[in-house]
Amino acid sequence: MIEPTLNSLYQQLILEHYRKPRNRAELPEHTVEVRMYNPVCGDEIRLQLRVDGDRIAEAKFIGQGCSISQAAVSMMTVKLQGATLAEADALVSQFINLMHGDEAAARDRTLGDLRALQGVSKFPVRIKCALLGFDALQEALKQSRLEAGAQ
Ligand code: ZN
């Protein structure tokens, strides 16, 4: 599949995360695990979180697929270490805004390296790739809250 033409600096950042993913490892002490698959592109992500109270104490993933899917989840896990569940919700919403071409989201420095993916918003097929990790995160947050509610 042809990679979309992105700003070259952003492209480098995406490739850097793809080649040297952050937090790509098993997290044996995880409290929640979610698998997501993108059949359009063949991307796979298994996201593991260790949730402690209302915080994500640790976030790791195992995955394979295109550079956009793997760089996005790598960048996402960087932002998740120590984040509250509410901050994780806000990150998901703001990243979805970014994928919808929202200008304010594109300027939002709290997204960190994730801003490098803003050019993906012009390529609808690839948005699914970028969102795969965030789909997993949303499901993991939902499961964590259900478990916390059940205790
Ligand atoms: Zn993909």
Short mmCIF file of all heavy atoms in Angstrom, two decimals, residues 1 38 41-43 65-69 126 128-130, ligand 1:
data_model
loop_
_atom_site.label_atom_id
_atom_site.label_comp_id
_atom_site.label_asym_id
_atom_site.label_seq_id
_atom_site.Cartn_x
_atom_site.Cartn_y
_atom_site.Cartn_z
N MET A 1 0.84 -1.20 0.00
CA MET A 1 0.00 0.00 0.00
C MET A 1 0.88 1.25 0.00
O MET A 1 1.87 1.31 0.71
CB MET A 1 -0.91 -0.03 1.23
CG MET A 1 -1.96 1.06 1.20
SD MET A 1 -3.13 0.90 2.58
CE MET A 1 -4.13 -0.48 2.04
N ASN A 38 -7.47 -4.55 12.13
CA ASN A 38 -7.98 -3.73 11.03
C ASN A 38 -7.88 -4.54 9.75
O ASN A 38 -6.81 -4.64 9.15
CB ASN A 38 -7.14 -2.45 10.93
CG ASN A 38 -7.49 -1.63 9.70
OD1 ASN A 38 -8.52 -1.84 9.08
ND2 ASN A 38 -6.61 -0.70 9.35
N CYS A 41 -6.28 -3.27 6.30
CA CYS A 41 -4.84 -3.10 6.12
C CYS A 41 -4.05 -4.26 6.72
O CYS A 41 -2.88 -4.45 6.42
CB CYS A 41 -4.44 -1.78 6.78
SG CYS A 41 -2.77 -1.23 6.49
N GLY A 42 -4.72 -5.07 7.56
CA GLY A 42 -4.04 -6.20 8.21
C GLY A 42 -3.31 -5.82 9.49
O GLY A 42 -2.49 -6.58 9.99
N ASP A 43 -3.59 -4.64 10.03
CA ASP A 43 -2.93 -4.20 11.26
C ASP A 43 -3.51 -4.92 12.48
O ASP A 43 -4.72 -5.12 12.56
CB ASP A 43 -3.13 -2.69 11.49
CG ASP A 43 -2.78 -1.87 10.27
OD1 ASP A 43 -1.74 -2.15 9.66
OD2 ASP A 43 -3.55 -0.96 9.94
N GLY A 65 1.89 -4.41 11.68
CA GLY A 65 1.08 -3.78 10.66
C GLY A 65 1.82 -2.61 10.05
O GLY A 65 3.05 -2.52 10.15
N CYS A 66 1.07 -1.72 9.43
CA CYS A 66 1.68 -0.62 8.69
C CYS A 66 2.30 0.41 9.64
O CYS A 66 2.04 0.40 10.84
CB CYS A 66 0.64 0.06 7.80
SG CYS A 66 -0.59 0.98 8.73
N SER A 67 3.12 1.28 9.07
CA SER A 67 3.85 2.26 9.88
C SER A 67 2.89 3.18 10.64
O SER A 67 3.15 3.54 11.79
CB SER A 67 4.79 3.07 9.01
OG SER A 67 4.07 3.75 8.00
N ILE A 68 1.78 3.54 10.02
CA ILE A 68 0.85 4.49 10.67
C ILE A 68 0.20 3.84 11.90
O ILE A 68 0.14 4.44 12.97
CB ILE A 68 -0.19 5.01 9.67
CG1 ILE A 68 0.52 5.95 8.69
CG2 ILE A 68 -1.34 5.72 10.37
CD1 ILE A 68 -0.32 6.40 7.52
N SER A 69 -0.26 2.61 11.75
CA SER A 69 -0.92 1.95 12.89
C SER A 69 0.05 1.74 14.04
O SER A 69 -0.31 1.97 15.21
CB SER A 69 -1.52 0.60 12.45
OG SER A 69 -0.51 -0.34 12.14
N ARG A 126 -6.63 5.38 5.61
CA ARG A 126 -5.58 5.24 6.62
C ARG A 126 -6.00 5.71 8.00
O ARG A 126 -5.30 5.45 8.98
CB ARG A 126 -4.31 5.99 6.17
CG ARG A 126 -3.85 5.64 4.77
CD ARG A 126 -3.78 4.15 4.50
NE ARG A 126 -2.84 3.44 5.34
CZ ARG A 126 -1.54 3.39 5.12
NH1 ARG A 126 -1.01 4.00 4.09
NH2 ARG A 126 -0.75 2.72 5.92
N LYS A 128 -8.39 4.63 9.70
CA LYS A 128 -8.65 3.39 10.46
C LYS A 128 -7.35 2.86 11.07
O LYS A 128 -7.35 2.32 12.17
CB LYS A 128 -9.22 2.31 9.54
CG LYS A 128 -10.70 2.45 9.26
CD LYS A 128 -11.13 1.17 8.55
CE LYS A 128 -12.44 1.18 7.86
NZ LYS A 128 -13.52 1.94 8.18
N CYS A 129 -6.25 2.97 10.33
CA CYS A 129 -4.94 2.51 10.82
C CYS A 129 -4.54 3.33 12.04
O CYS A 129 -4.14 2.79 13.07
CB CYS A 129 -3.86 2.68 9.74
SG CYS A 129 -4.22 1.81 8.20
N ALA A 130 -4.65 4.66 11.91
CA ALA A 130 -4.22 5.55 12.99
C ALA A 130 -5.09 5.38 14.23
O ALA A 130 -4.62 5.51 15.35
CB ALA A 130 -4.26 7.00 12.51
ZN ZN B 1 -2.61 0.16 8.39
#
